[in-house]
Amino acid sequence: MPLERRSWAEPFKIKMVEHVRIPTREQRERAIAEAGYNTFLLRSRDVYIDLLTDSGTSAMSDRQWAGMMLGDEAYAGSESYYRLEASVRRHYGYAHVVPTHQGRGAEHIISRVLIREGDVIPGNMYFTTTRLHQEMAGGRFVDVIVDEAHDPASECPFKGDVDLGKLERVFQENPGRVPYVSVAATVNMAGGQPISLANMKAVYELARHYAVKVILDATRIAENAWFIQQREPGQQGRSVGQIVKDLCAASDGCTMSAKKDPLANIGGFLAVNDVEVAEAARNLLVAFEGLHTYGGMSGRDMEAVAIGIEESLQDDHIRARIGQVLYLGEKLRQAGVPIVLPIGGHGIFLDARAFLPQVPQEHYPAQALAAAIYLDSGIRAMERGTVSAGRDAASGEERKPKLELVRLTIPRRVYTQAHMDVTAESVCAVYEERDAIRGLRMTYEPKLLRFFQARFEPR
Ligand code: P61
């Protein structure tokens, strides 16, 4: 067999296992009804394969667990903080590191520091918590992502790119009212789609021209860098770590949920180059998160993040991580299941509109599809459509996003290829029975981030 045809495998072996239970059909029916047809409200003991999220669900390495034993739990001046700071500076290149309990802690702080009432924040598609903190700080989010990002079938290689024309229009129409551009790498709600390095640099140049900052959401930046290495002319042969540094260099700071790329179960940080922004952030930090040398994390958490950052940037790690996502995605694509293309970095996104054309958007097709998959196999996915989009802050109307998706999110280093096979089989089985799936009616709607706790009943 020629060498290039040989399979590859994960660059690790398994040292510890966690048992899972396969609930019976009867148990699943009861569980999803009790959960109000919302997969967020299922108890994890009722879940077989948990593809709700890749957030905080990664398997830590033996090195990370060893690091946890070295955690310095001092209230002030923890050595673990200094190791985290050194890791962030070395791998992402920012000068000042402000630790937070998780990503939204960093989003809260940077939004309050930079946004004033009436400001406008352009970005490459909204993310739920990011936009909420921008709105709570008095700002308004404006989507400036390329049009292709809203089309599940478009195979554009960089659907995370900013449309520079749209961005410049926002600058021109809101002089003095744009504190920063909010750029995510990768773009979660678009399907884990990457931004190109060229576009990132162009955004930074344009923003600088208008004296506007660029704040990067670096939550899945290693995955983004891998796509750049694979797809962007001139980037082949460069390491993921080098590309990550280049992306960060085209920004003024970043927010990070260390629960994703950095392979930790909890944690995050804000990192910036401007000392005044860092000082203002640390001032708020002591009110909302904790002292500036722990910010809501224990010493052992900070150790796990510091080591996880390093591991996340290894090319063999990221190849296997995204390789597994591609494996599942290819199976579904070959079976004719409608998914967001190209296949993204952290999960497979089913196109619920194409999957369930008989269910109108007001009946929450993606929510209904996630519940149907759980019922079929005990596999837990997440709605990313109308329920997630919520209501417009000004008008109170339900937003109707073009993308009505169900996310099958793959935790890092947790599931095997056989788990992916079982997942593909379940989704295909639901696809065959799709005509029988009906929509849902919302019976309880929380005010903020409603998708987490909303309840539904079948129509
Ligand atoms: C997720 F349903 N993501 O994807 P925190 N930026 C980005 C994220 O993906 C992200 C955060 C900031 C989650 C958890 C989650 O609507 C939801 O550490 C690109 O979770 O605070 C989190 O980081 C926030 C799930 C968050 C959701 C919000 O599953």
Side-chain angles (χ1 to χ4, degrees):
M1 195 162 40
L3 253 185
E4 65 272 18
R5 302 278 307 273
R6 293 216 183 164
S7 299
W8 52 271
E10 288 80 359
F12 57 80
K13 55 185 179 172
I14 296 166
K15 192 180 290 211
M16 190 186 285
V17 297
E18 175 183 343
H19 288 279
V20 292
R21 186 177 78 119
I22 308 181
T24 62
R25 172 90 200 181
E26 226 174 33
Q27 287 166 334
R28 300 196 295 268
E29 279 171 3
R30 193 167 346 110
I32 196 72
E34 278 174 8
Y37 296 84
N38 184 350
T39 53
F40 277 108
L41 298 179
L42 288 166
R43 295 178 67 143
S44 74
R45 65 159 194 215
D46 293 324
V47 174
Y48 171 33
I49 300 175
D50 201 347
L51 306 184
L52 182 73
T53 179
D54 62 332
S55 180
T57 52
S58 299
M60 291 211 298
S61 67
D62 50 358
R63 288 181 63 240
Q64 282 176 294
W65 280 107
M68 289 190 83
M69 292 305 295
L70 302 176
D72 176 357
E73 306 302 343
Y75 186 87
S78 162
E79 271 306 296
S80 303
Y81 167 73
Y82 292 106
R83 276 193 279 274
L84 172 63
E85 182 189 53
S87 184
V88 173
R89 283 184 174 159
R90 175 154 170 244
H91 294 293
Y92 304 110
Y94 301 108
H96 308 288
V97 182
V98 181
T100 58
H101 76 284
Q102 59 183 84
R104 70 198 70 180
E107 292 171 344
H108 174 212
I109 302 287
I110 194 67
S111 299
R112 282 177 85 125
V113 168
L114 294 180
I115 299 172
R116 300 286 159 266
E117 188 69 38
D119 280 353
V120 174
I121 303 93
N124 54 348
M125 198 173 275
Y126 86 100
F127 185 70
T128 54
T129 56
T130 320
R131 181 176 65 190
L132 178 65
H133 282 297
Q134 290 162 356
E135 288 174 352
M136 288 174 91
R140 181 168 59 88
F141 176 81
V142 178
D143 189 3
V144 293
I145 203 165
V146 291
D147 288 342
E148 288 88 340
H150 293 280
D151 174 6
S154 160
E155 298 219 35
C156 165
F158 290 106
K159 283 167 108 172
D161 277 0
V162 169
D163 182 323
L164 297 168
K166 289 185 194 170
L167 180 63
E168 187 154 28
R169 231 168 297 133
V170 174
F171 290 155
Q172 286 170 350
E173 286 169 8
N174 303 279
R177 296 323 306 258
V178 183
Y180 64 93
V181 188
S182 182
V183 182
T186 57
V187 180
N188 193 348
M189 303 301 280
Q193 302 294 329
I195 180 171
S196 64
L197 182 55
N199 187 254
M200 186 76 211
K201 288 180 175 172
V203 168
Y204 190 49
E205 276 307 302
L206 187 63
R208 276 226 300 225
H209 179 75
Y210 285 89
V212 171
K213 291 188 191 319
V214 174
I215 301 294
L216 184 61
D217 182 338
T219 295
R220 296 185 183 82
I221 195 170
E223 293 171 8
N224 196 112
W226 189 82
F227 284 120
I228 289 174
Q229 185 198 68
Q230 298 299 307
R231 295 177 186 168
E232 190 163 341
Q235 298 300 319
Q236 287 74 26
R238 301 190 66 222
S239 73
V240 162
Q242 286 170 330
I243 298 170
V244 162
K245 262 216 152 148
D246 286 358
L247 285 166
C248 294
S251 74
D252 298 282
C254 83
T255 55
M256 171 65 94
S257 169
K259 303 173 73 172
K260 283 81 164 177
D261 256 8
L263 297 157
N265 299 130
I266 192 73
F269 57 83
L270 167 68
V272 293
N273 289 325
D274 184 325
V275 68
E276 282 171 24
V277 174
E279 277 175 15
R282 289 189 181 116
N283 267 316
L284 287 176
L285 199 75
V286 291
F288 293 109
E289 298 278 318
L291 197 74
H292 62 283
T293 55
Y294 73 85
M297 282 182 282
S298 62
R300 54 185 174 272
D301 296 332
M302 292 191 281
E303 291 289 344
V305 175
I307 297 165
I309 287 172
E310 209 183 298
E311 293 183 0
S312 77
L313 300 174
Q314 303 300 317
D315 285 63
D316 58 353
H317 158 74
I318 204 80
R319 185 185 319 113
R321 189 281 185 280
I322 297 184
Q324 188 176 42
V325 176
L326 290 176
Y327 175 83
L328 174 62
E330 279 305 324
K331 284 207 147 198
L332 293 174
R333 202 171 62 86
Q334 279 162 21
V337 175
I339 61 172
V340 172
L341 295 171
I343 294 162
H346 63 301
I348 302 305
F349 290 68
L350 307 175
D351 179 358
R353 285 181 150 187
F355 203 115
L356 300 177
Q358 75 275 21
V359 180
Q361 216 170 359
E362 309 79 74
H363 297 184
Y364 312 118
Q367 190 78 32
L369 181 53
I373 292 168
Y374 173 76
L375 268 176
D376 179 74
S377 56
I379 292 171
R380 168 153 72 171
M382 184 195 289
E383 193 267 7
R384 294 280 81 170
T386 308
V387 182
S388 294
R391 292 180 182 274
D392 183 81
S395 73
E397 292 293 307
E398 258 193 338
R399 296 180 173 110
K400 292 280 160 58
K402 287 212 182 94
L403 297 177
E404 186 71 37
L405 309 175
V406 171
R407 187 180 74 175
L408 299 159
T409 339
I410 316 300
R412 298 163 187 79
R413 309 193 292 209
V414 170
Y415 289 114
T416 64
Q417 195 154 314
H419 287 115
M420 297 300 108
D421 291 340
V422 169
T423 302
E425 287 161 15
S426 173
V427 174
C428 290
V430 174
Y431 191 55
E432 275 167 27
E433 307 281 307
R434 62 191 180 277
D435 294 346
I437 298 173
R438 285 171 305 141
L440 298 168
R441 179 181 296 108
M442 202 183 297
T443 56
Y444 167 62
E445 180 180 1
K447 280 215 166 56
L448 298 179
L449 303 176
R450 64 181 187 172
F451 53 88
F452 281 132
Q453 292 158 316
R455 300 185 71 84
F456 303 83
E457 62 185 20
R459 286 197 172 254

